[in-house]
Amino acid sequence: VGSLAEGMKVFDRYTLMKIVGRGRFSVVWQAWDERLNRDTALKFLPDMVKPDASALATLKSELRQIQEIKHPQIIPIDNVEQEGPLVAISTDFINGATLASLREQKSDQVFSPAELADWMQQLFTVLEFSHREALRPHGTLKPSNILVDQKGTLRLADYGLEQQVLQFVSRTSGLTDVGPDLRYMSPQQAVGEPDTVLDDIYAVGVTLYELLTSKPPFYTGDIMLQSQQKIPPPMTHRRKELRVIGQPVTRIWEETVAACLSKDPGQRPQGIPQ
């Protein structure tokens, strides 16, 4: 996707405006949709992808199932666009920022529990709905796919999407190292077990740990081994290790995050933590 540029028209309907995000295997552009007269987000897949009819059909079929998850705070997936070597997934454009970028903008690089309380309650409400109604986990929850719009409303991106994209890239690019980001995966996901809602609970713990300390529980070295065998230090201790200054992390937040990060899924909160 290195050939893309501002002002370029793609798929005979979108005019590219600016890059608004980058992933390991994608670049997200804000674009103007001439048919619907609105901004949209286009997640372009990498240049090495060589789409074929079978792989595209599989991707579209998987995304149709995800499209059935409807909640005002889950960013909907609109379509899979393909033209020559270009492949992109279109979604609603949200004028806002991710929790990852908001954290990085803070002077001490961390949030306080009080700053996160309302957003986390919104997150729990959305996940509780999707787990109950859609019976499908997000699968790759992390600070970079949780957005806050201009009104302070939390919006959840890439619901069930990232793993489908990785599978598509793996099938069509010839790459062998196309796994998800281990830093945000539960011990069960890391060894290839099917996703469950309890993996999302683990990811809530990882997300809170990073937002409150500046780093995920495991972020360097053999992350898979650590996720299987090591217990992360309390967030207060991690802050001291990283020389992070911030408002104190209270006992209830420590206990809640530790429970979410339990190695045993049966020891995690069996619903969204309150």
Side-chain angles (χ1 to χ4, degrees):
V1 293
S3 59
L4 301 176
E6 292 182 16
M8 180 182 293
K9 188 173 181 178
V10 295
F11 310 123
D12 199 34
R13 67 181 287 184
Y14 304 102
T15 300
L16 300 181
M17 299 169 65
K18 63 179 179 180
I19 293 175
V20 293
R22 293 182 184 273
R24 186 174 163 205
F25 293 106
S26 64
V27 176
V28 182
W29 281 78
Q30 179 183 351
W32 179 254
D33 184 343
E34 295 181 0
R35 294 185 194 174
L36 299 180
N37 291 316
R38 68 177 191 183
D39 286 331
T40 193
L42 291 176
K43 180 190 287 284
F44 285 91
L45 305 190
D47 290 334
M48 74 277 291
V49 162
K50 295 179 174 57
D52 59 64
S54 176
L56 275 172
T58 299
L59 179 62
K60 290 179 179 180
S61 175
E62 293 290 342
L63 294 191
R64 277 194 292 271
Q65 296 181 41
I66 298 170
Q67 287 172 322
E68 296 176 2
I69 304 174
K70 298 187 184 300
H71 187 282
Q73 288 176 262
I74 296 177
I75 301 172
I77 298 168
D78 297 325
N79 201 13
V80 179
E81 307 283 0
Q82 191 259 327
E83 180 181 64
L86 289 179
V87 179
I89 297 168
S90 61
T91 70
D92 282 9
F93 174 75
I94 303 301
N95 186 14
T98 68
L99 291 185
S101 63
L102 290 173
R103 181 192 65 76
E104 291 168 356
Q105 293 168 19
K106 296 181 69 64
S107 59
D108 52 11
Q109 297 284 292
V110 295
F111 285 100
S112 70
E115 290 174 312
L116 292 175
D118 178 64
W119 290 335
M120 288 302 105
Q121 188 56 56
Q122 292 185 54
L123 174 62
F124 299 156
T125 300
V126 176
L127 289 177
E128 189 171 46
F129 167 86
S130 62
H131 290 170
R132 182 183 68 249
E133 301 295 333
L135 301 177
R136 186 183 187 117
H138 184 289
T140 54
L141 189 69
K142 52 191 171 184
S144 60
N145 55 32
I146 304 171
L147 290 85
V148 177
D149 67 19
Q150 297 295 306
K151 296 180 180 179
T153 301
L154 183 139
R155 306 293 297 274
L156 198 51
D158 291 352
Y159 203 108
L161 175 61
E162 186 171 329
Q163 291 182 342
Q164 303 307 324
V165 168
L166 292 175
Q167 289 175 19
F168 177 77
V169 171
S170 178
R171 287 195 297 265
T172 59
S173 68
L175 296 177
T176 56
D177 182 21
V178 191
D181 191 333
L182 288 173
R183 295 176 300 170
Y184 302 96
M185 296 178 71
S186 73
Q188 292 70 38
Q189 285 177 300
V191 295
E193 294 183 16
D195 293 347
T196 74
V197 296
L198 294 177
D199 297 314
D200 279 357
I201 300 300
Y202 185 92
V204 168
V206 176
T207 294
L208 284 171
Y209 196 103
E210 178 173 332
L211 295 175
L212 290 166
T213 72
S214 80
K215 298 287 187 183
F218 310 113
Y219 62 94
T220 187
D222 190 334
I223 294 174
M224 179 180 286
L225 181 65
Q226 294 174 69
S227 75
Q228 303 293 322
Q229 298 182 2
K230 290 190 66 176
I231 303 297
M235 292 182 288
T236 300
H237 294 181
R238 175 58 61 81
R239 281 183 167 194
K240 290 179 180 178
E241 291 175 8
L242 299 174
R243 299 180 180 178
V244 169
I245 300 173
Q247 294 296 315
V249 178
T250 59
R251 179 178 176 181
I252 187 63
W253 283 77
E254 289 278 17
E255 292 176 347
T256 297
V257 170
C260 291
L261 293 176
S262 174
K263 308 293 185 192
D264 179 358
Q267 298 300 314
R268 295 173 203 152
Q270 300 299 296
I272 299 303
Q274 301 296 322

